[in-house]
Every structure is written in structure tokens, then in C-alpha cells.
Amino acid sequence: MDAATKPETSGLSSALREKFIAFVGNEYVRATTATDAVAGVQPALVIEPGTEKVLAGILRLSNEAGLAVIPRGGGTKMGWGNAPSRADLILSTARMNAVIEHAWADLTVSVEAGCTIQRLQETLAQHGQRLALDPLWPEKATIGGVLSANDSGALRLRFGALRDLIIGATIALPDGTLASSGGKVVKNVAGYDLPKLVTGAFGTLGVITRAVFRLHPLPLNSRSFSVSTMDAKETQRFVLAVQDSKLAHTFLQSHFSNDAAPVSDILFEGTEAGLAAQETQLRKLAGPTSVSEASTSNWTAREQLWSFSDPGTTAVAKISILPGDLARTIGGIEHAAQMHQLRWRTLVYATGLGWIRLEGKPAALRGALQLLRVEMESHGGSLVALYRPEKMPAFDAWGAAGDSLSLMKAVKQQLDSKNTLNPGRFVGGI
């Protein structure tokens, strides 16, 4: 769909717009520009509420009028997922950006959805703590957006994914209800597990307005190393050996490409004495000649995959595989790329989550992605296409939904019966 595509906005009358203005003020309701397009679809309005109650009111009015609402945080991942089937207005959390309460003695924090990851981390660092999370573009990405996209990086090996870190959430439902679940303490188990339900739901069930997280101390010291290997099979042996060892590593990731030998990065955190002992054990495990001090750029390896010069000839996908399938998967990527005459680059975490960047002709990109999706799904994995060039033939972002789709649709129907939020963007057209 072209960026100029205009949605149907029959429900967006001037009277309704005046109601929106009465809620938030004239300066926080504006017409969209080309930069507000959502996966090629152009909404009509951007509304920026200042509080969760106002946001809920705007959402209620939109739902009653039959409008399609696109929640937005920092806008870093608006191209992810499928294009919306409808898009009337963007509901922005940009003004809802406060760190509500940092209960540092309890290792918890309550924060509004529009707060950026970087701002939150800077606040927590004042008490020697952190949210143990490394999403893409932390200077722009917001709490709500990261939760909705379930975006976490290599640190999940040690600290778990977002569902392991979130302990409470408040969301605005399409009917204007503000629903909360969880609490401020790590062991609170009362109520429905709303935080985990909305994490990774792509904003299709409700608009996250605030969240509560468990925290971890900042490390005293850290050291990272790079380990060179001859090929993917040797990389897999190394990764599995590390995972089976007594090494207390914080993250472990491996790089592959069509123009360089594989390299794995490993991070340790702790005391100086502990780090020295970890290094000694690592060198014994990997062989001393293959281990070197890692560059600080390895911390942003995933962002580097997204730094490409020609958006018209590049695709980026997220994959999920079994760690024991690493070598076979890399062989499959190399085969698909050669068959379709593509350049490729891949980053895979020890957890089995990974990222692929393919570069070449748009039709060839689709052919390779389709081949890789079939291969990965046949072995219990998945491939989600997060970025596709405009000229690439149509390709569903998500792939097979499995036997959970009927349950997911039932939850969607229960919470968003009018299909108000992000219609068509998620798995199975949800």
C-alpha cells in the first residue's frame, strides 16, 4: 500500500474532533503528515493525551464512533507487523512520560508508558539499579512500545524476557475502562495476569498507560570477549559448551554473514576477581588463541543490522529456533541467499532468538523469506518479517499462528469487540 493511501474516515466528523479538542486541548490534536503513516496507511489525526484518564476518554469516544485507533509511543517500530486494515487516528503517549515511583528499596519501579527506556535507565542508575532490558533504540523507544512489541535483546539470557520483568500494568480498554493488574511488589500474584497478556500483543487489546517492573542492581564491573570460530558448526559447539558450563555469563550472541567468519560475543558481570576467573575458564573452553577483548560496538550489534543504506533492497526478519539447530539454520540462510543472489547478515542469541538482514532485489527477498519461513516452521521455529521494502511482493509479517489463533481471537473479541485497536496488524489478521 502506498504511503499516500488514505483510510476511510467517515466516523471522524468535525463534531467528534471538537470533542477530542475539549478533552486534550487544541494544541494536542493535529492533522497527520507523511511521517505519521503506519506501514503505508495514512491516518487523519494525531492526539496526544496528558493523562491516562484523558487517554481512556479519547479511546472511548473513538470506539463509540467506530474509528480505528493506532497506539504510538516513540514510533520506532511503527513499520513492524502487517499494514492496518483501517487507520483513523494515532493515539500518542508522548506526553505521558513520568517515572511515577522508584521504590528502590523494593527493587521496583512504576513508570508511564510514554517514558523512554533511556530516561528510565538514567533515573534508576541514580540508585545503582537498572531495568535489565536492552531493546532497540532506547533513546526513542518507550515503555509502552517496547512492551507491545515484546522487544528484548541478548540480556534476556540472564534476566529473562519482558514477561519475566513486568509485575504490574494499567491499560485503557476500548470502552474507556482503565484496567489494572499486578502490584508494586515482586511476589504479588493477585488478579488476572494482565501484564503478560498485553506484552507482545501489538497494541491490539488495549493501550498500555503505565507499567511496574522488577529491577536489578547495576553490575560492579563488566568485561566482554569475542570468540572466533571457523564455521557455524564450530560456533554451535562453542555456544552449547558455554551453556553447559559453569560460566556465569550475562549474554552470548553469535554473528554470521556472507563475507566474514563467525564470531561470538560473551559478556560477564561481577567483581574483578570473579571476572578474571571467568576469563580463565572461557579461554580453557574456547582455546586461548580464539578469544579477544570485545569491541564496545558489539553491544549495539542488533541496531547495526538495521543500519542499511538502501531501504528499497533490504528486508529484516526475526527468527526463533532451537539452539541445537543453529548450524542447520545458518546453512539454510546461506543456501536461500545464494539461490536468490542476496547478501546476508545474521545475529543469533544463545536463547535461539535471532535476526536476519537480507539485501537484494525485492522479488528475490520475498522468495528467500518464504523459503526460510517454511524451513524454520517445519522444525518448530518461526520467522517474522519486521521490515520489507515497498516494492517487495506481498508477504505476511507473521507466518503460521499455530493452534493458539482461536484463543487469541476470542481474547480480542472479549476486550475489543469492535476491532478498534490496530485492526489487522497482528497474527492472523487480528
Side-chain angles (χ1 to χ4, degrees):
M1 194 174 291
D2 296 334
T5 300
K6 288 286 185 179
E8 294 294 330
T9 57
S10 57
L12 193 49
S13 64
S14 58
L16 183 57
R17 180 167 179 162
E18 289 302 315
K19 289 183 180 180
F20 290 151
I21 292 173
F23 259 97
V24 300
N26 188 61
E27 64 269 39
Y28 299 117
V29 178
R30 66 169 176 82
T32 59
T33 66
T35 59
D36 297 308
V38 183
V41 179
Q42 189 73 41
L45 290 179
V46 176
I47 302 178
E48 297 183 354
T51 69
E52 60 187 8
K53 289 184 178 180
V54 172
L55 183 148
I58 295 293
L59 188 53
R60 176 182 58 79
L61 287 175
S62 302
N63 185 61
E64 291 172 351
L67 301 183
V69 177
I70 312 295
R72 187 175 73 185
T76 59
K77 304 173 185 70
M78 292 299 283
W80 291 18
N82 291 320
S85 57
R86 301 178 297 126
D88 295 309
L89 65 87
I90 289 174
L91 195 52
S92 169
T93 60
R95 295 172 61 211
M96 298 166 51
N97 57 15
V99 178
I100 300 168
E101 181 185 8
H102 179 197
W104 56 268
D106 294 328
L107 286 171
T108 66
V109 66
S110 177
V111 58
E112 287 188 313
C115 182
T116 65
I117 300 296
Q118 180 172 293
R119 180 182 177 188
L120 175 61
Q121 299 288 32
E122 289 171 349
T123 300
L124 300 177
Q126 296 174 19
H127 285 279
Q129 296 176 358
R130 63 176 168 175
L131 177 60
L133 182 71
D134 52 341
L136 288 163
W137 312 296
E139 70 282 359
K140 294 181 180 179
T142 62
I143 290 296
V146 167
L147 281 169
S148 294
N150 194 22
D151 180 33
S152 59
L155 287 179
R156 67 183 290 160
L157 177 69
R158 168 67 179 83
F159 300 103
L162 271 163
R163 288 184 175 92
D164 302 299
L165 299 173
I166 188 170
I167 57 176
T170 299
I171 68 170
L173 299 175
D175 66 358
T177 301
L178 282 169
S180 297
S181 179
K184 298 180 181 179
V185 294
V186 172
K187 292 185 179 180
N188 188 306
V189 294
Y192 295 105
D193 208 343
L194 187 64
K196 290 182 174 60
L197 183 65
V198 297
T199 299
F202 240 65
T204 56
L205 301 178
V207 180
I208 300 169
T209 61
R210 68 172 69 191
V212 184
F213 296 97
R214 59 181 303 199
L215 304 175
H216 291 83
L218 284 169
L220 295 174
N221 304 282
S222 65
R223 291 185 70 187
S224 54
F225 301 90
S226 292
V227 179
S228 302
T229 48
M230 293 294 294
D231 54 30
K233 290 183 179 178
E234 186 180 351
T235 303
Q236 178 175 307
R237 286 194 294 269
F238 167 72
V239 170
L240 294 179
V242 169
Q243 291 290 78
D244 196 39
S245 73
K246 294 182 179 179
L247 285 170
H249 48 294
T250 299
F251 82 41
L252 175 59
Q253 62 184 18
S254 301
H255 310 252
F256 306 88
S257 71
N258 59 273
D259 58 4
V263 175
S264 298
D265 308 316
I266 187 167
L267 171 69
F268 299 107
E269 297 177 336
T271 64
E272 287 290 356
L275 294 178
Q278 296 287 314
E279 179 184 0
T280 299
Q281 188 176 349
L282 175 66
R283 291 185 181 277
K284 288 181 179 179
L285 185 66
T289 58
S290 64
V291 180
S292 61
E293 292 278 351
S295 166
T296 54
S297 64
N298 292 336
W299 286 86
T300 57
R302 188 161 59 121
E303 289 190 13
Q304 292 172 34
L305 280 180
W306 286 88
S307 299
F308 40 81
S309 57
D310 188 354
T313 61
T314 306
V316 180
K318 181 180 181 180
I319 62 173
S320 175
I321 63 171
L322 294 173
D325 284 342
L326 176 61
R328 182 191 57 77
T329 299
I330 297 303
I333 295 170
E334 186 173 20
H335 171 71
Q338 289 176 348
M339 178 184 296
H340 293 278
Q341 299 182 317
L342 302 173
R343 296 178 301 280
W344 63 279
R345 187 172 298 274
T346 302
L347 177 71
V348 183
Y349 303 140
T351 54
L353 292 180
W355 302 77
I356 307 171
R357 186 176 80 193
L358 301 172
E359 297 174 272
K361 295 181 179 179
L365 293 174
R366 188 196 187 283
L369 289 173
Q370 181 60 35
L371 179 63
L372 289 171
R373 172 172 284 167
V374 170
E375 173 70 12
M376 292 182 193
E377 290 183 350
S378 69
H379 288 84
S382 65
L383 182 147
V384 179
L386 296 181
Y387 177 81
R388 295 93 81 201
E390 286 185 11
K391 293 185 179 180
M392 193 183 101
F395 185 75
D396 177 59
W398 302 100
D403 56 8
S404 63
L405 184 58
S406 59
L407 177 60
M408 294 168 66
K409 287 185 174 180
V411 173
K412 172 71 170 177
Q413 177 64 28
Q414 185 70 29
L415 298 181
D416 184 14
S417 59
K418 291 186 175 182
N419 204 22
T420 296
L421 289 165
N422 261 343
R425 301 204 67 200
F426 198 35
V427 178
I430 292 177

